[in-house]
Every structure is written in structure tokens, then in C-alpha cells.
Amino acid sequence: MAKYLVCGGAGYIGSHMCKRLHEAGHEVVVCDDLSTGHLGALQWGLHACGSLEDAAFLRELFATHDFDGVLHFAALSVVAESMRDPQRYYGHNVAATLNLLRVMREFEVSKLVFSSTAAVFGEPLSRVIAEDHPTVPVNPYGLSKLMVEQILRDSARAYGLRAVALRYFNAAGADPSAVIGEAHDPETHLIPKLVRKAAGEGMQVTINGTDYPTEDGTCIRDYVHVNDLAEAHLLALDHLDNAVGMHTFNLGNGTGHSVKQVVDAVQEVTGVALDIPVTGRRPGDPAHLVAGSKRARAVLGWEPRYTKIADIIETAVRWHGTDSFRNWIAEASEAGDAAAETVRFDARQQQRKQG
Ligand code: UDP
């Protein structure tokens, strides 16, 4: 059995990975600065609290543990935010990853599975996005991930790094045990917003545009269960035992669901009638994003288990009904309040100095 470092293991997909690695008998060490992750998600393995931007912290971590490989989930991932503050995205997502890669090389750790995204493709040229589709990102988030992919490709060639970049489509759902799940604050994703609204939370959910060139006029996405994503990482680690170089795979079900179809499915699963107002388009939303995952299926032997949207939603509903979810959100809000108070305090200090 192996020992893996999971960067971002307190986050949504990273925590599901930790659970899966633990179930497979591996040892887990999480590196997470808890900026968006949750303490409650740290249920498997050890936790080192620190940032990938801190090279000294990373060196100490690698000197303490003998890692067989690294799974890297730690990133900022909100497209709109990346448009407002691109330097923050390039800093967190690119510069910090470069730190990690340098330290991995120093300590001769050569296996990496990296969380990439469908956003590397930009505006799709075809209905189904094959793995060899051109990559022309349309926002700093997608570009930051594509930059890292390029760094991995070059590092594989120059230093013998073995890397897999997994391009997720729309991650959704939660572990069926409901001991972990998605808890973003604020939440921007369609499924958790709808599920939380159905549960009576005051969520602002809208249908973002009904004039897209799709059958019902709303955007189509490929929703893939978070445990199916975790499984793909495990297969990618196996693949890297024998494969050299850098490899990219798409992770999606290959089936698209429109926003209206998702609204209907959430109503059906929860039994709650939802009145969702229609607004205009959200900038930067392509009409149609559906994965072609042929390579992931053929090379990794990956087969998603959650192929029905209702089953994915059902696991999300189960998680959102737990006290853990409510506690995680409450803690995240407190952390946000504390950060806001620090900013206000700094501003008061500045004013005092100037005064
Ligand atoms: N969406 C929506 N209303 C919302 C949130 C999202 O209509 O309140 C739409 C969004 O515009 C996109 C789809 O749902 O077409 C999926 O959005 P999400 O943010 O979940 O994931 P993304 O595709 O942006 O990664």
C-alpha cells in the first residue's frame, strides 16, 4: 500500500478522494490551508495546515513523509471571481503548483494526479468535447489550469515527472454515507443551490438564459458524481505505475442535462415544487458542455457508476439534510466574518495612521 499527499484534501472533491484512498488501504496526508476547505472534512489520515505558496512548509512536509505520489486538488475555481481578480488565480493555481512541483522534484516524488477542468476547452467546437478537442480557455480560471497542464508536460519531458491531468466536467453529488459533501459559501453551483432552496434556505436561484441554441433554450452540462471522479484518480495512480509522461483525460458521463431538466429532476427527487425565475445569460457560459471520455474509459478503464441525474441529486439531498452540512456552512460564514473584520480593522488602522 502507498502513502499519498492530498493537496486540498479538506475540499469537496479532495475529501471524497481521501475517503476512497483510505478505503483502498492507502495512507493519506492532507495538506490544506482551510481557506475554502472544512475541518469537518478531515476524517482520514493526517492533516498539515499550510499553503502551497509556502515552499518552506512544503519542504518540511516532504522531509517528514516518504510520499509515493501527490494528488493535487487545491485551487480556486470560480470563473467569475477569476475574471475580477486574475492575479489571485494565477498566484494560487499556477505559482503555488510550481512550488509543489519543485519540492516534489527535490524529494524525488515523481507521480502526480492533477485536477484540471473542462474550462480548458473554452467555447466548444462540437457537441461532445473529445479529449483531443482544441484548448482555448475563455477565462483566467481555465487558462490557469491549462498553464499547469503545460508545465506538467514540460516537466515530464525534462525531469521524468509522471502526471495525469483529469479534466472534470460538472462535479456533483456527495458520498452516499452523507459524512462529507459539498459546502461552498457562497454557493454558485446549480445542483446544490436548487437542493438548498428546496430545503427552505433563502437561495437566490435563477435560470440563467432561455435563449441558448438548445432544445429548451437553457444550457446543457455533463454532471458527474464526485465518487466517480475519485475513482478515476485511483485508476490514474495505477496507470502511472507503468506509464511515463503526461496524460490528459476527460471525466464526464457523456450525457447532457439542461438547466430546466435539472430543475425538474430536483423537484422530482425532493418532492418540492420550485418556482425558479428566468434571468439573462451568465457571461462566459457556453451553451453545451458534454464530455467525450473515450480515452479515460479505454486507457484507465474508468466507468462512471452514477449515470442517472436523479441518483446524483439524491446523494446531494441526503448530504444537505445533515447537521454536518449546516455546521460546515456556519463555520465557513464565521471564517468569512472574521476575514471581513480583519479587513475593517486594517482599514481603521490605516485611517488612524493617516489621521
Ligand atoms: N445556473 C443557473 N442558475 C444558477 C446557477 C447556475 O441557471 O443559479 C446555470 C449556469 O448558468 C450553467 C449551469 O447552470 O449554465 C451550470 O452552472 P454551475 O455554476 O453549476 O457550473 P459551471 O457549468 O459553471 O461549472
Side-chain angles (χ1 to χ4, degrees):
M1 291 298 113
K3 186 176 198 172
Y4 292 114
L5 174 65
V6 183
C7 303
Y12 171 41
I13 306 172
S15 59
H16 285 78
M17 187 75 241
C18 293
K19 182 169 187 283
R20 187 68 191 91
L21 285 168
H22 177 80
E23 283 165 1
H26 298 301
E27 226 179 303
V28 175
V29 177
V30 171
C31 153
D32 197 303
D33 63 2
L34 298 176
S35 54
T36 53
H38 300 278
L39 260 181
L42 295 164
Q43 300 179 30
W44 302 275
L46 297 170
H47 173 222
C49 189
S51 161
L52 300 182
E53 284 169 278
D54 183 348
F57 157 75
L58 280 179
R59 271 194 199 98
E60 201 179 309
L61 192 58
F62 276 73
T64 312
H65 300 276
D66 203 359
F67 295 122
D68 294 289
V70 176
L71 298 112
H72 178 19
F73 298 86
L76 299 171
S77 62
V78 181
V79 169
E81 205 177 73
S82 80
M83 303 284 278
R84 280 196 303 273
D85 195 354
Q87 289 186 0
R88 184 158 169 255
Y89 270 65
Y90 293 122
H92 270 271
N93 294 2
V94 185
T97 301
L98 204 48
N99 258 346
L100 172 67
L101 291 170
R102 286 197 187 109
V103 176
M104 280 178 68
R105 188 153 68 94
E106 249 172 71
F107 287 84
E108 297 178 358
V109 177
S110 60
K111 254 168 85 165
L112 175 75
V113 183
F114 172 66
S115 303
S116 190
T117 167
V120 297
F121 295 114
E123 199 62 46
L125 305 173
S126 50
R127 284 225 133 193
V128 171
I129 303 177
E131 274 132 332
D132 58 1
H133 184 284
T135 46
V136 190
V138 292
N139 52 61
Y141 167 61
L143 197 53
S144 72
K145 291 285 183 175
L146 189 63
M147 285 176 178
V148 172
E149 286 193 8
Q150 186 56 49
I151 295 170
L152 298 185
R153 207 166 284 116
D154 291 340
S155 301
R157 186 185 41 74
Y159 316 120
L161 175 76
R162 294 161 178 246
V164 163
L166 297 173
R167 295 163 170 172
Y168 311 155
F169 280 63
N170 288 60
D175 190 79
S177 67
V179 296
I180 45 173
E182 189 167 17
H184 296 119
D185 184 46
E187 187 54 78
T188 60
H189 296 111
L190 181 63
I191 291 180
K193 277 174 87 175
L194 288 168
V195 168
R196 288 168 67 172
K197 188 173 172 77
E201 274 189 62
M203 280 274 141
Q204 288 280 340
V205 199
T206 49
I207 293 177
N208 299 338
T210 50
D211 59 347
Y212 285 94
T214 60
E215 246 162 61
D216 65 16
T218 65
C219 283
I220 292 178
R221 293 289 178 271
D222 185 334
Y223 297 91
V224 53
H225 195 271
V226 62
N227 277 359
D228 284 328
L229 295 180
E231 197 62 34
H233 289 69
L234 218 51
L235 295 168
L237 286 170
D238 288 346
H239 181 63
L240 288 175
D241 283 337
N242 303 309
V244 293
M246 190 279 197
H247 313 266
T248 55
F249 299 98
N250 284 354
L251 298 182
N253 268 305
T255 322
H257 290 91
S258 72
V259 173
K260 279 189 178 164
Q261 284 172 330
V262 173
V263 173
D264 288 347
V266 171
Q267 295 190 113
E268 222 159 274
V269 173
T270 59
V272 177
L274 295 169
D275 184 17
I276 311 293
V278 171
T279 55
R281 292 181 177 202
R282 193 174 70 174
D285 260 347
H288 208 273
L289 287 178
V290 176
S293 301
K294 260 195 198 151
R295 204 192 287 159
R297 288 165 196 264
V299 177
L300 301 179
W302 181 64
E303 200 59 57
R305 297 217 177 118
Y306 289 84
T307 52
K308 295 198 187 94
I309 191 79
D311 292 345
I312 295 176
I313 292 169
E314 199 272 326
T315 63
V317 170
R318 213 181 302 172
W319 159 247
H320 283 102
T322 63
D323 286 338
S324 305
F325 164 68
R326 282 182 283 275
N327 290 339
W328 289 17
I329 287 292
E331 278 164 19
S333 308
E334 275 167 29
D337 290 347
E341 181 48 35
T342 309
V343 171
R344 282 193 290 271
F345 176 77
D346 287 347
R348 284 196 296 268
Q349 298 283 84
Q350 284 291 338
Q351 274 170 4
R352 256 180 228 133
K353 267 188 211 151
Q354 281 159 11

